Amino acid sequence: MTAEADLEYMQLALELSAAARFVSHPNPHVGCVLVKDNQIVGRGATGRIGEGHAEVHALAEAGEQASGSTAYVTLEPCCHQGRTPPCTQALIDAGVVRVIAATLDPNPLVAGKGLATLTAAGVEASHGLCAEQSRWLLRGFMSRMQRGRPWVRAKIATSLDGRTAMANGESQWITGADARRDGQFCRAESDCVLTGIGTVLDDNPTMNVRLSAAELGIDGPVRQPLRALMDTRARLQSNHRWSEEAGEKRVFSVIDRQWDDIDTVCFSGAETLDPKRVLQNLAEHEINFVHLEAGAILLGSFLKSDLVDEIVVYQAPAMLGSEGRPMAQLCGLVHISDALRWRFDHVKTVGNDLRMVLLRT
């Protein structure tokens, strides 16, 4: 197999990985392609919780053709018994002779042991092809394993003059329908949609995914991410749409108030909610990717705590005036050297609005 062919097949595996991001939680969304005699004999991606991993689906499609094949997989195959059996043994039993992994699995239960297991069984195993692309696709899983917290992406809808609402809180709608629909895809690929009580009180949102399976390109029901709420003083009411909407919900507070259908996490004894503790709790519950939609105070708290990894800004060609509400409350910045610096990853138009993705410098 030539280097060009290896790259082509790994790119296909990465496409499968990307497509699985809407269904695989809490597992990393992995893609796998099996190739024999320069022909694709099997494709697979991580399925829903409890279903097979990417390698298992690819092996099932290949059948007997898997023997003597090369497996291109976007993450090192697992070698431990979890919710499903180890993929390394499945590859060995199927007679796969070569495995190319894009990147090593940072999970301490794997972390190089998967490829070592394959090598010990006589399978040629390597990693590093398209590693950066794979780690970006799996950045939520990588963050939880390596930093002990989820990847946090903040989504902001703003005017041309940087306002997210009028002074009285009115904000629907700053951006157009196309931008709002695009933001739904951001929610859908997340494990958790996190907001603050101020947003719930002002906008009465549901914070759920409102795209169909067909729009997401998936089979089966649309997975609703965990909806989490930071409600320091327990001001949520039962008639708020956030609490009425079906699906898994979690409230973080410093006041111990229990709900029938909402998981409550109380940090008793604290005066305020610490975003770091909230993210730690989410990581402990296998949340890889947090989508933060919050008002200026909560977003400012996350930003000043250096807990935002990515920002998606939808900017409308409209001005709301100097009395409008800002994107983030960032008090205490006095000098230009105090500025929180970001870099543009990419910018494009969505309908009549701009979509800007920014990463930390």
Side-chain angles (χ1 to χ4, degrees):
M1 202 79 69
T2 65
E4 291 79 8
D6 285 341
L7 179 60
E8 177 186 350
Y9 294 129
M10 185 60 80
Q11 290 292 339
L12 291 175
L14 289 167
E15 291 176 11
L16 292 169
S17 168
R21 69 192 187 279
F22 299 120
V23 299
S24 68
H25 169 75
N27 292 322
H29 45 90
V30 178
C32 178
V33 174
L34 293 175
V35 178
K36 184 176 182 179
D37 298 329
N38 209 31
Q39 296 291 323
I40 296 175
V41 295
R43 305 171 193 245
T46 308
R48 298 175 188 270
I49 185 170
E51 296 180 359
H53 292 182
E55 298 93 326
V56 172
H57 288 297
L59 290 170
E61 183 178 289
E64 294 183 356
Q65 289 296 307
S67 180
S69 69
T70 294
Y72 298 85
V73 60
T74 58
L75 183 67
E76 176 184 13
C78 65
C79 55
H80 64 287
Q81 176 70 47
R83 295 184 180 90
T84 57
C87 291
T88 48
Q89 194 58 52
L91 291 165
I92 293 167
D93 292 344
V96 172
V97 297
R98 182 176 177 234
V99 173
I100 300 177
T103 186
L104 294 177
D105 187 339
N107 185 339
L109 295 174
V110 188
K113 302 182 188 71
L115 294 187
T117 298
L118 293 168
T119 300
V123 178
E124 180 185 344
S126 63
H127 72 279
L129 181 63
C130 300
E132 185 174 348
Q133 289 175 264
S134 180
R135 284 194 289 266
W136 173 253
L137 284 173
L138 299 174
R139 60 194 181 279
F141 176 73
M142 295 288 176
S143 177
R144 179 166 68 89
M145 288 296 164
Q146 295 174 330
R147 302 189 297 180
R149 71 164 179 84
W151 180 272
V152 177
R153 173 175 57 204
K155 175 258 184 181
I156 307 169
T158 179
S159 64
L160 192 61
D161 52 349
R163 304 297 171 175
T164 59
M166 305 303 290
N168 63 5
E170 181 185 353
S171 63
Q172 296 180 345
W173 299 103
I174 296 174
T175 55
D178 291 336
R180 297 197 298 274
R181 181 177 183 274
D182 191 80
Q184 286 286 315
F185 286 92
C186 292
R187 284 187 187 177
E189 67 181 3
S190 305
D191 304 325
C192 169
V193 176
L194 176 63
T195 193
I197 187 61
T199 297
V200 170
L201 294 178
D202 287 344
D203 298 338
N204 196 22
T206 59
M207 306 301 284
N208 63 350
V209 175
R210 295 187 290 275
L211 296 171
S212 67
E215 288 174 299
L216 293 172
I218 62 173
D219 296 323
V222 173
R223 177 186 63 86
Q224 289 293 340
L226 167 71
R227 288 180 296 123
L229 174 67
M230 293 178 65
D231 183 10
T232 305
R233 301 298 171 192
R235 293 187 287 165
L236 179 70
Q237 299 298 317
S238 58
N239 62 346
H240 287 133
R241 296 172 66 201
W242 187 94
S243 58
E244 292 177 337
E245 193 71 21
E248 187 180 2
K249 301 179 283 289
R250 184 172 304 152
V251 171
F252 294 94
S253 183
V254 300
I255 296 175
D256 190 8
R257 178 183 177 186
Q258 300 300 315
W259 298 81
D260 290 337
D261 61 344
I262 301 175
D263 178 28
T264 303
V265 178
C266 177
F267 297 126
S268 57
E271 287 295 321
T272 60
L273 286 173
D274 182 354
K276 292 181 181 179
R277 294 185 69 184
V278 170
L279 293 181
Q280 181 182 15
N281 175 275
L282 293 172
E284 290 169 354
H285 288 81
E286 298 186 284
I287 296 297
N288 297 318
F289 205 122
V290 168
H291 179 75
L292 177 65
E293 292 192 36
I297 295 175
L298 185 56
L299 177 57
S301 176
F302 270 78
L303 286 168
K304 293 193 72 173
S305 299
D306 196 24
L307 294 174
V308 178
D309 303 297
E310 179 183 353
I311 300 177
V312 177
V313 179
Y314 294 94
Q315 187 176 49
M319 295 185 181
L320 303 188
S322 59
E323 295 181 357
R325 296 185 180 183
M327 288 189 285
Q329 189 176 96
L330 296 170
C331 300
L333 303 182
V334 179
H335 304 288
I336 293 296
S337 59
D338 298 329
L340 305 184
R341 296 289 182 179
W342 295 78
R343 64 176 176 86
F344 288 106
D345 183 64
H346 65 269
V347 178
K348 70 175 185 179
T349 56
V350 179
N352 292 324
D353 304 310
L354 277 182
R355 181 184 193 266
M356 298 173 283
V357 177
L358 300 98
L359 302 174
R360 288 305 303 268
T361 55

